[in-house]
Amino acid sequence: MASTTILRTSFLPKRSEWFAPNSHQSTSHLQPTSVSLTVRAGSYSDELVKTAKSIASPGRGILAMDESNATCGKRLASIGLENTEANRQAYRTLLVSVPSLGQYISGAILFEETLYQSTVDGKKMVDVLKEQNIMPGIKVDKGLVPLAGSNDESWCQGLDGLASRCAAYYQQGARFAKWRTVVSIPNGPSALAVKEAAWGLARYAAISQDNGLVPIVEPEILLDGEHGIERTFEVAQKVWAEVFFYMAENNVMYEGILLKPSMVTPGAECKDKATPEQVAEYTLKLLHRRIPPAVPGIMFLSGGQSEVEATLNLNAMNQGKTPWHVSFSYARALQNTCLKTWGGRPENVKAAQEALLIRAKANSLAQLGKYTGEGESDEAKKGMFVKGYTY
Amino acid sequence: MSAFVGKYADELIKNAKYIAAPGKGILAADESTGTIGKRLASINVENIESNRQALRQLLFTSPNALTYISGVILFEETLYQKTSDGKPFVDLLQENNVIPGIKVDKGTVDIAGTNGETTTQGFDSLGVRCQQYYKAGARFAKWRAVLKIGPTEPSELSIQQNAQGLARYAIICQENGLVPIVEPEILTDGGHDIKKCAAATETVLAAVYKALNDHHVLLEGTLLKPNMVTPGSDGPKVAAEVIAEYTVTALRRTVPPAVPGIVFLSGGQSEEEATLNLNAMNKLEVLKPWSLSFSFGRALQQSTLKTWAGKKENVGKAQEVFLARCTANSEATLGKYTGGSGGGLASESLYVKGYKY
């Protein structure tokens, strides 16, 4: 059955109705606002639903290319390049200009610098993406910092001035946003850390929607740790229950969000490995127990898995029907081979772009449950887990 | 533990799935002795055990009706009653592939400091009672929480209290082999429009599922019994298609796919209204990962009761009327009801202001 939304946003209560005096009550004193009048997503409702659906289209997923300047520096350093704006521009030009990328990629998450950048040919990055039928997205969080009172855990900053930043990004052409917070299993996680992660995401999601951006909701449960897959499953269920409850309290409209979860896998240092089928089983169970069907798309992060692993796991999850579009939002798992192939040399650009297209196509097939894995290179199979990885 | 997977897990999942099977639904026949007294009084029948037994026997022996029923909710007295031939009702139901269920709550009481909001009683020795009911043949349970819409209702306190109550009841049931039907009923009393009901329903259901998850309830072994999203009893009327759209939207936003089935309560809707609304929901072309069916009390029994009027000679006719309603609702779960069965009685509104169970 086609997963169409039946939401007619015209029948949702408008903000003016929220504060309209109720005929049953006097307005001579302040009445506590009734909990029961929920406003969802304000004036952008229809557009948000449309954007989310477009990103969650069959056979397509997201290219995450929103590495901060510092993180991008690490990538460039790995191929012997200096972390200059020119080099970052050259690399991002390479990525957005991959011919026919829009066949497999529905959205690209950008860092702020890139959103306002032009390619080396002087064309706006967002325009190149739009011509490719790829929605531009923007990272809006301001990174992780230590969470006081926790067990050495982090929380994600970025709510201050978020509304006006989102509005400005919308003006610039962005149509979706991303906010990444993390939860660490070896450190607990503490109830405080989970609550903060969930509440921050909920506040961000509400503010994004209010300003026309589809929020990608990303509570990454870090791979670090020796724990088994059952423990990951337990923590994931707790985290997602909190995330959805706080989003409900913040009146977030689920038809206009996307999720970016981590797959349910054993910890990176766990001696027991899991097959793609096991990862799929646990992850699908998690989704069925926690994700309302109104959410149009679930775009998994790769989090240190190798390019091939990430594709295999995604493929395993798409062997049956699911109520949501189950896809990818990969950074390293899409870019790794491409980056290595480029090596910073102009003469390698074409080959590097082909490498990216190969990965994009593989993941597209995985989204459709049709990936066979033939012809994968060794580079693609290399694990990319970095212990204690900071973004 | 993420979800409670005790010794009954597989059985709970199996039973919940069976009850939620398309083409069937639940007969809510769990009226307490007091409430059934009101029903009997309305047809001038005395509220004595033999009459209560006669009514339930009429329903359970209706030829072919049980084909469309996957479960029957019973009151405690009925769980231990027999037909006039001496066959336990539980056996009769099981022979007809109908799973017996049991009402386990002990009614509502007011929450002090609120404007007439209530919480539900029944926790004392609930585990032990569930075990006894399981021994007697019950395989699912029901607990009704009640909320209302008003200028400041449902209040945060009422939502939290009722959600926690439902979750605690649910896990105790699962520990003892009974599939819990989770019922957060939001009353229709009031002049509010359908949007207000939609907002309240979404808020309440979000809180209910949060509580269920916090209490480690195994969602695959539960059923949800919500109100449909409708205007208030004094609010502006809308078509069945509108009710269907608002209701399914609310459920898509709050109910995880792990829940196998949603079995609506009828509230004060007439028999025909309830069937038409259920039908419209199942016709809606949008993805619904749970089945949408019925758990009707008044909306299945009203005409039957009136037709019987307590007289032996009317039993056959009454059973035909009952079969007609069962068939109609079965068709509605498949989106195939074409309407009009039951005549005038079926269209009678069953709304009672400030209805107390």
Side-chain angles (χ1 to χ4, degrees):
Chain A
M1 211 194 299
S3 178
T4 48
T5 182
I6 54 164
L7 180 70
R8 280 186 292 117
T9 52
S10 56
F11 66 60
L12 295 166
K14 299 175 191 32
R15 277 199 193 280
S16 56
E17 289 170 27
W18 207 6
F19 294 109
N22 187 302
S23 58
H24 298 298
Q25 68 190 39
S26 74
T27 47
S28 61
H29 61 278
L30 219 61
Q31 285 278 8
T33 314
S34 166
V35 298
S36 49
L37 205 51
T38 53
V39 174
R40 298 200 187 268
S43 50
Y44 290 102
S45 304
D46 290 336
E47 189 183 343
L48 290 170
V49 173
K50 219 161 132 261
T51 301
K53 259 173 125 180
S54 154
I55 296 174
S57 48
R60 303 207 296 166
I62 294 176
L63 166 60
M65 43 183 286
D66 59 316
E67 296 84 358
S68 63
N69 289 347
T71 302
C72 196
K74 292 187 201 167
R75 303 276 181 271
L76 296 171
S78 77
I79 53 169
L81 282 189
E82 218 187 319
N83 189 12
T84 60
E85 208 208 314
N87 283 339
R88 295 194 292 273
Q89 182 196 37
Y91 181 48
R92 270 68 183 264
T93 301
L94 185 162
L95 294 176
V96 305
S97 315
V98 171
S100 302
L101 188 61
Q103 251 194 299
Y104 311 118
I105 300 295
S106 52
I109 320 179
L110 308 174
F111 181 61
E112 190 181 66
E113 178 188 78
T114 322
L115 184 68
Y116 289 96
Q117 244 178 6
S118 295
T119 63
V120 298
D121 312 309
K123 208 162 178 192
K124 287 205 193 137
M125 293 274 186
V126 290
D127 289 343
V128 175
L129 287 171
K130 284 190 192 149
E131 275 166 26
Q132 292 254 49
N133 193 25
I134 299 175
M135 288 263 174
I138 175 70
K139 188 224 299 282
V140 302
D141 70 71
K142 287 186 177 270
L144 303 166
V145 287
L147 175 60
S150 74
N151 185 27
D152 235 354
E153 296 157 289
S154 319
W155 66 296
C156 185
Q157 295 184 132
L159 292 178
D160 291 1
L162 181 59
S164 44
R165 282 167 46 227
C166 284
Y169 294 147
Y170 182 94
Q171 287 293 351
Q172 183 62 11
R175 286 298 176 269
F176 70 95
K178 165 267 181 95
W179 170 291
R180 173 184 175 262
T181 191
V182 300
V183 166
S184 164
I185 295 182
N187 293 66
S190 65
L192 172 63
V194 172
K195 195 172 268 204
E196 170 54 39
W199 185 255
L201 280 168
R203 293 290 305 127
Y204 138 78
I207 292 170
S208 285
Q209 289 195 326
D210 215 34
N211 292 283
L213 302 180
V214 169
I216 295 191
V217 175
E218 181 179 357
E220 173 170 2
I221 298 169
L222 297 168
L223 206 50
D224 303 58
E226 297 171 338
H227 52 274
I229 198 169
E230 287 280 353
R231 177 72 184 133
T232 307
F233 186 43
E234 189 183 340
V235 172
Q237 286 180 95
K238 178 69 184 163
V239 167
W240 283 105
E242 296 265 316
V243 170
F244 272 97
F245 183 59
Y246 291 139
M247 286 203 290
E249 289 202 308
N250 278 273
N251 301 319
V252 172
M253 181 183 67
Y254 296 156
E255 292 87 350
I257 68 173
L258 294 164
L259 304 183
K260 183 163 170 171
S262 34
M263 296 184 196
V264 180
T265 65
E269 287 110 351
C270 179
K271 40 185 174 54
D272 302 316
K273 296 292 160 225
T275 62
E277 289 67 38
Q278 284 175 307
V279 171
E281 192 193 329
Y282 275 90
T283 308
L284 286 171
K285 209 176 230 177
L286 165 73
L287 300 179
H288 278 85
R289 286 182 180 178
R290 294 295 181 268
I291 317 300
V295 175
I298 301 180
M299 328 293 285
F300 282 97
L301 61 92
S302 48
Q305 298 175 54
S306 75
E307 288 176 329
V308 170
E309 241 182 302
T311 305
L312 282 171
N313 287 335
L314 180 63
N315 189 56
M317 275 189 262
N318 280 299
Q319 290 310 304
K321 278 183 107 169
T322 55
W324 335 260
H325 173 81
V326 174
S327 185
F328 57 93
S329 173
Y330 293 164
R332 286 173 279 173
L334 274 172
Q335 299 179 45
N336 193 45
T337 304
C338 166
L339 181 72
K340 299 264 150 61
T341 307
W342 177 47
R345 297 175 187 292
E347 62 270 27
N348 293 342
V349 166
K350 200 154 172 290
Q353 290 183 324
E354 273 164 26
L356 184 70
L357 204 60
I358 288 174
R359 288 268 42 92
K361 180 167 187 195
N363 286 304
S364 162
L365 287 171
Q367 198 290 306
L368 299 164
K370 296 194 165 105
Y371 173 72
T372 57
E374 355 173 335
E376 291 286 20
S377 71
D378 282 328
E379 180 69 41
K381 296 183 189 155
K382 264 220 286 254
M384 286 175 293
F385 171 69
V386 174
K387 197 176 157 82
Y389 178 73
T390 47
Y391 224 71
Chain B
M1 252 195 290
S2 44
F4 172 67
V5 181
K7 66 176 186 175
Y8 293 106
D10 290 339
E11 194 182 330
L12 292 169
I13 293 173
K14 196 164 138 277
N15 286 335
K17 241 177 149 178
Y18 176 74
I19 296 172
K24 299 195 190 218
I26 296 175
L27 163 62
D30 60 317
E31 298 87 354
S32 63
T33 308
T35 302
I36 199 68
K38 293 185 203 168
R39 305 268 184 276
L40 296 173
S42 76
I43 51 167
N44 293 315
V45 171
E46 210 188 335
N47 187 13
I48 50 178
E49 208 209 317
S50 56
N51 286 336
R52 297 194 289 274
Q53 184 263 359
L55 170 60
R56 271 66 182 263
Q57 175 164 319
L58 186 160
L59 298 171
F60 303 161
T61 58
S62 293
N64 300 320
L66 294 186
T67 322
Y68 305 107
I69 302 295
S70 51
V72 178
I73 319 177
L74 306 169
F75 181 62
E76 192 181 69
E77 178 189 74
T78 324
L79 185 67
Y80 296 104
Q81 270 180 336
K82 303 180 164 74
T83 65
S84 38
D85 302 324
K87 178 178 257 185
F89 277 152
V90 167
D91 292 353
L92 174 63
L93 293 173
Q94 286 168 343
E95 278 165 23
N96 282 282
N97 297 315
V98 178
I99 302 186
I102 175 75
K103 186 229 294 288
V104 301
D105 71 72
K106 289 185 180 258
T108 58
V109 287
D110 284 358
I111 302 175
T114 66
N115 182 22
E117 294 178 289
T118 63
T119 183
T120 302
Q121 299 183 122
F123 289 110
D124 292 0
S125 303
L126 180 58
V128 169
R129 288 168 53 223
C130 284
Q131 280 168 27
Q132 290 166 350
Y133 295 144
Y134 184 95
K135 276 207 189 71
R139 289 296 178 273
F140 71 95
K142 163 267 182 92
W143 172 288
R144 178 172 174 265
V146 183
L147 300 109
K148 67 184 227 185
I149 292 176
T152 54
E153 291 84 25
S155 66
E156 187 66 21
L157 171 57
S158 164
I159 295 172
Q160 283 309 316
Q161 176 65 201
N162 282 292
Q164 287 294 318
L166 282 165
R168 186 79 193 111
Y169 137 80
I171 194 70
I172 291 173
C173 282
Q174 293 194 328
E175 286 180 279
N176 295 289
L178 303 180
V179 171
I181 296 191
V182 175
E183 180 178 355
E185 173 171 3
I186 301 172
L187 299 171
T188 56
D189 297 44
H192 54 271
D193 63 14
I194 194 168
K195 289 180 196 175
K196 189 119 198 241
C197 179
T201 304
E202 288 175 27
T203 303
V204 169
L205 288 178
V208 167
Y209 279 96
K210 178 65 165 64
L212 291 174
N213 292 336
D214 286 347
H215 284 250
H216 311 300
V217 174
L218 179 68
L219 296 184
E220 294 88 337
T222 64
L223 294 163
L224 178 68
K225 181 165 169 171
N227 51 281
M228 298 185 192
V229 176
T230 65
S233 48
D234 299 326
K237 300 275 164 265
V238 299
E241 288 66 34
V242 176
I243 288 176
E245 205 169 337
Y246 276 89
T247 306
V248 175
T249 299
L251 298 170
R252 277 168 51 87
R253 289 174 171 177
T254 52
V255 186
V259 175
I262 298 178
V263 291
F264 292 96
L265 60 93
S266 46
Q269 295 176 50
S270 72
E271 290 175 328
E272 186 69 2
E273 242 182 305
T275 307
L276 286 171
N277 289 335
L278 181 63
N279 188 56
M281 279 183 232
N282 279 296
K283 282 178 79 168
L284 217 45
E285 276 179 23
V286 71
L287 189 133
K288 296 157 280 188
W290 357 254
S291 66
L292 296 177
S293 183
F294 57 93
S295 174
F296 293 165
R298 287 172 280 172
L300 270 173
Q301 300 178 55
Q302 188 68 3
S303 305
T304 307
L305 190 71
K306 293 257 149 76
T307 308
W308 175 49
K311 301 183 164 54
K312 253 207 171 83
E313 59 269 27
N314 291 342
V315 168
K317 189 107 208 313
Q319 291 183 322
E320 274 170 29
V321 169
F322 182 60
L323 173 63
R325 283 284 20 109
C326 290
T327 315
N329 285 302
S330 161
E331 287 168 9
T333 69
L334 302 167
K336 296 201 161 92
Y337 180 60
T338 47
S341 76
L345 280 177
S347 305
E348 212 178 272
S349 168
L350 300 166
Y351 171 67
V352 173
K353 196 175 164 82
Y355 178 70
K356 294 261 180 287
Y357 223 72

